[in-house]
Amino acid sequence: MPARGAKWGRVADQRVQQLQHQVRVKEERIVELETENSILHLKLAEYQEMIGKSNREATRFYFLYNEKQYLQRNIHSTLIKLYQVIQKLKQDIKEFHSSCLELIRNYQDQYRVCLSEIVTAVHRTQLYNEALQSHQSRAVHLEKCLQEINEQYQIEKQKRKLLHNSLVELKGNIRVHCRIRPLLPFDNEFDDPVQNSSLCEKAIHAVDDETVLVKCNRPGHPLINKTYNFERVYGPAESQRTVFGEIRPLLMSLLDGYNVCIMAYGQTGSGKSYTMLGPHLPDDPALSLDSHGDLGIIPRAAEELFRLISENPSRSPEVEVSIVEIYNNEIFDLLAKDSCTLVSGVKRDVITTKEGKKELSRLTYKSVSSAVALMGLVAGGLRLRVKHPTLVHTDSSRSHLVITVTLTAASPPDSSHQQPNPMLKELICPSAPRTAGGEGPRASRRASSPGAGPVGAAGPPRQAQARLQLVDLAGSECVGASGVTGLALRETSCINRSLAALADVLGALAERRGHVPYRNSRLTHFLQDSIGGDAKLLVMLCVSPCQKHLAETLQCLGFGSRARQVQRGQAKRGVPASGKSK
């Protein structure tokens, strides 16, 4: 209503201005006509004086007189019309004035109503502002409380993780991590768009850093959600650096004398080789991780291992490397220099040492003094590894790769003393300085020997070993999905049988059976000490997020769940070294 009153006011003002302008024009016209009338009177007087002078003058005067009369008549008629117009304008102005007064009264009424509403709104706004300030203050207080609770939660979470790791150490459980790879371009290789959209839907999700959610959405079946818990779960967006950060403490345990095994398990194309090696090794092994941030566990472990060794040059152990592949249930030495079998490697057999350990007869060991040298041997061994393309993966590994790094060092006389669990020590004495990897005080780690065996107080130092095994298992696959035939079919059969044997071994260990079938496969026989012995074993489950791989994913997660149930007793330091072939 205020806007309508303002509009009528502007219209009235414009109409008044128009009428006033017309009145001024008419008044100016009257003045002009009166001026002309005066001039004509003057001329008439002149003409009257000139009548007596001549007839010509009289005749002229006659015409002028007639003209004057005509003009006077026209002026009178014009004045009458102008008067009528003026009277009409005055009437219009009077009516307009009356309407303006009415509009003004309406505007004033509306103004008073709007002013009252504005005052009410201002008062309400003030109340809202006061309530908003109160809520903001409350929100700041809640955010502060939330931050404090979150900090306390992180502290408690870290303590729980340390206690859990301590429990894993005491029970000898197998650490199981799960990594979900992201969706990749080859996941969408279907001609049928409907089938493509349903099978490439994400079915695997990382709920948090310890829980995996599997959505079983099969056609014709109800939706079933299953959850699996592991020591660590990596989502598709987590980097290689993050994955290795969780594994780094095991390398510190290696230098403390414990055997360590890191094993990647999963179906073909699930990201095992990417996790262990990266997308590809650099052509120049001397390139650092800063240039290749996507490198996997093996190159990062090599660099970290020699970095830790360099921290105590006076106690540097000898580092030796062996590389084997298990292909078609046969073990091949990829570092052997037999010229006749240079391409495929040399077959080796599993033997039992005097200490009861499982080793390969006449296995080739190469001494290395740097991460560059170690990765050079790995790159050479990978070139000999058997790979064939399948419908599931264009660069599928057809063998299990086992890289063994052995550290040999002299044990000091007091090294038989068992050090307390560093994680328990951290909980008891939280003020003790910790290393970046969280394996206990740096001074304690440097003071302890890498893998000492018991010796007499006056006896000479003895050689002790610690062994790191990095295992990139071949991927399990469905024969129908991979489309393999002939030799590739035999390879797939051997791979699946060896992985089944590995699952049987873990099942027997978890159920504490009297007999564990290690000898059912060369893979489990060779890795017997790591699987069922005193090594610290970490299994990295690699799974695809696609719905089409759901069956293989469930099998992989079930394998990891069984592995977590294995209790082998507390891990022990390495024993004195036995002889080996070089």
Side-chain angles (χ1 to χ4, degrees):
M1 293 300 292
R4 184 176 178 184
K7 181 178 178 181
W8 278 107
R10 288 194 298 272
V11 173
D13 292 340
Q14 292 177 359
R15 182 60 178 166
V16 168
Q17 291 176 1
Q18 290 177 357
L19 295 175
Q20 290 176 352
H21 176 71
Q22 292 178 1
V23 170
R24 285 196 300 271
V25 171
K26 297 299 181 178
E27 289 177 350
E28 290 175 358
R29 180 61 179 167
I30 291 172
V31 171
E32 290 177 359
L33 294 175
E34 288 178 350
T35 303
E36 290 179 359
N37 191 25
S38 299
I39 293 172
L40 291 175
H41 279 291
L42 291 174
K43 287 183 179 182
L44 180 60
E46 292 177 357
Y47 291 156
Q48 288 176 351
E49 290 178 0
M50 294 174 64
I51 288 175
K53 293 182 180 180
S54 65
N55 291 332
R56 187 185 304 170
E57 294 289 337
T59 303
R60 184 178 178 184
F61 175 77
Y62 176 76
F63 285 108
L64 290 174
Y65 178 77
N66 290 335
E67 182 180 0
K68 176 183 177 183
Q69 292 297 324
Y70 176 76
L71 291 174
Q72 285 179 346
R73 286 193 298 272
N74 289 339
I75 291 171
H76 182 71
S77 177
T78 303
L79 289 175
I80 291 173
K81 293 180 180 179
L82 181 61
Y83 177 77
Q84 293 175 351
V85 171
I86 291 173
Q87 292 299 322
K88 188 176 185 305
L89 289 174
K90 288 181 178 179
Q91 183 65 26
D92 293 342
I93 291 173
K94 184 177 180 180
E95 294 176 356
F96 177 73
H97 180 70
S98 177
S99 64
C100 287
L101 291 177
E102 183 66 22
L103 289 174
I104 289 173
R105 283 193 295 271
N106 293 336
Y107 173 75
Q108 289 175 346
D109 293 340
Q110 296 173 4
Y111 173 76
R112 284 191 291 271
V113 173
C114 293
L115 184 62
S116 176
E117 292 177 353
I118 291 173
V119 171
T120 303
V122 170
H123 180 66
R124 189 184 301 114
T125 303
Q126 291 176 349
L127 295 178
Y128 288 158
N129 287 335
E130 293 175 359
L132 178 61
Q133 292 177 357
S134 176
H135 291 320
Q136 287 178 342
S137 177
R138 178 64 176 168
V140 171
H141 176 69
L142 291 176
E143 288 179 357
K144 184 178 180 181
C145 293
L146 179 61
Q147 183 178 3
E148 293 175 354
I149 292 173
N150 188 51
E151 291 175 355
Q152 186 65 27
Y153 167 74
Q154 294 299 330
I155 295 173
E156 296 298 329
K157 182 179 178 181
Q158 184 66 21
K159 289 182 179 180
R160 188 202 63 79
K161 186 175 182 180
L162 292 173
L163 288 172
H164 176 74
N165 290 337
S166 300
L167 182 62
V168 170
E169 290 283 346
L170 294 173
K171 290 185 176 181
N173 291 81
I174 299 174
R175 295 172 176 85
V176 181
H177 292 191
C178 179
R179 188 178 195 187
I180 306 172
R181 71 161 172 81
L183 289 173
L184 299 176
F186 64 79
D187 290 327
N188 300 321
E189 293 178 356
F190 284 96
D191 296 331
D192 187 355
V194 177
Q195 184 185 22
N196 184 29
S197 61
S198 61
L199 294 183
C200 293
E201 180 182 354
K202 290 184 68 174
I204 316 300
H205 304 271
V207 178
D208 52 39
D209 58 0
E210 294 181 354
T211 308
V212 175
L213 172 63
V214 182
K215 295 184 177 180
C216 304
N217 187 14
R218 296 177 296 173
H221 295 79
L223 176 63
I224 301 176
N225 293 334
K226 295 183 178 180
T227 57
Y228 296 85
N229 294 315
F230 302 105
E231 276 71 29
R232 183 68 163 86
V233 174
Y234 308 95
E238 299 202 58
S239 65
Q240 299 276 65
R241 185 184 302 276
T242 301
V243 174
F244 182 72
E246 298 288 338
I247 296 174
R248 180 182 286 111
L250 292 176
L251 296 178
M252 299 178 183
S253 295
L254 177 70
L255 289 179
D256 286 338
Y258 294 95
N259 293 327
V260 175
C261 180
I262 302 171
M263 179 186 303
Y265 180 93
Q267 73 173 112
T268 299
S270 60
K272 299 182 302 301
S273 295
Y274 176 84
T275 299
M276 295 301 291
L277 296 164
H280 56 79
L281 288 178
D283 296 332
D284 183 5
L287 294 177
S288 65
L289 294 176
D290 295 334
S291 304
H292 295 271
D294 54 355
L295 289 180
I297 293 173
I298 294 176
R300 290 177 184 273
E303 185 168 289
E304 178 68 10
L305 174 62
F306 282 96
R307 186 192 69 81
L308 293 173
I309 291 176
S310 66
E311 291 183 353
N312 190 359
S314 62
R315 296 277 316 283
S316 296
E318 179 185 3
V319 181
E320 297 173 316
V321 179
S322 66
I323 303 175
V324 301
E325 71 169 349
I326 303 173
Y327 173 67
N328 286 346
N329 206 29
E330 296 289 346
I331 302 177
F332 294 91
D333 185 354
L334 298 184
L335 295 185
K337 293 300 184 180
D338 188 339
S339 60
C340 298
T341 57
L342 182 60
V343 176
S344 60
V346 179
K347 288 184 180 181
R348 301 300 186 195
D349 295 322
V350 180
I351 61 173
T352 304
T353 64
K354 296 179 180 179
E355 295 81 12
K357 299 296 182 180
K358 297 298 182 291
E359 292 185 357
L360 298 180
S361 62
R362 296 177 290 109
L363 181 62
T364 304
Y365 289 84
K366 297 289 186 180
S367 296
V368 293
S369 58
S370 66
V372 174
L374 193 156
M375 292 311 302
L377 294 177
V378 172
L382 290 176
R383 285 192 288 269
L384 299 179
R385 190 180 185 185
V386 180
K387 294 183 179 182
H388 288 152
T390 68
L391 295 180
V392 179
H393 199 299
T394 57
D395 192 25
S396 176
S397 300
R398 314 307 293 169
S399 66
H400 309 296
L401 180 70
V402 182
I403 300 172
T404 304
V405 181
T406 304
L407 275 62
T408 306
S411 302
D414 61 344
S415 62
S416 60
H417 178 68
Q418 185 73 16
Q419 295 291 334
N421 188 299
M423 288 178 285
L424 290 177
K425 184 176 181 180
E426 171 65 17
L427 292 176
I428 298 172
C429 304
S431 60
R434 293 179 57 83
T435 62
E439 280 291 318
R442 186 182 301 272
S444 298
R445 188 175 72 252
R446 289 183 177 179
S448 63
S449 66
V455 296
R462 302 174 63 186
Q463 294 293 314
Q465 285 186 346
R467 183 172 62 185
L468 169 65
Q469 285 187 314
L470 302 166
V471 184
D472 181 16
L473 296 174
S476 61
E477 60 187 32
C478 176
V479 175
S482 61
V484 293
T485 58
L487 176 60
L489 178 60
R490 180 171 180 267
E491 294 171 346
T492 301
S493 177
C494 289
I495 292 172
N496 290 340
R497 283 202 304 269
S498 62
L499 294 176
L502 178 60
D504 291 340
V505 166
L506 291 177
L509 290 173
E511 296 173 5
R512 298 181 178 273
R513 299 178 197 163
H515 171 69
V516 181
Y518 290 111
R519 292 180 178 269
N520 286 358
S521 170
R522 292 293 178 87
L523 173 67
T524 53
H525 194 197
F526 176 46
L527 298 179
Q528 177 177 345
D529 294 338
S530 296
I531 300 172
D534 56 6
K536 294 186 178 183
L537 174 59
L538 184 145
V539 177
M540 180 69 68
L541 304 178
C542 297
V543 296
S544 166
C546 294
Q547 184 75 31
K548 65 179 179 180
H549 299 144
L550 184 59
E552 292 84 353
T553 298
L554 291 174
Q555 185 274 332
C556 181
L557 296 177
F559 173 88
S561 297
R562 288 193 299 274
R564 292 190 72 202
Q565 298 173 4
V566 176
Q567 296 183 8
R568 306 171 299 164
Q570 186 174 3
K572 299 178 182 179
R573 295 177 184 268
V575 298
S578 61
K580 55 183 178 290
S581 303
K582 294 187 180 181

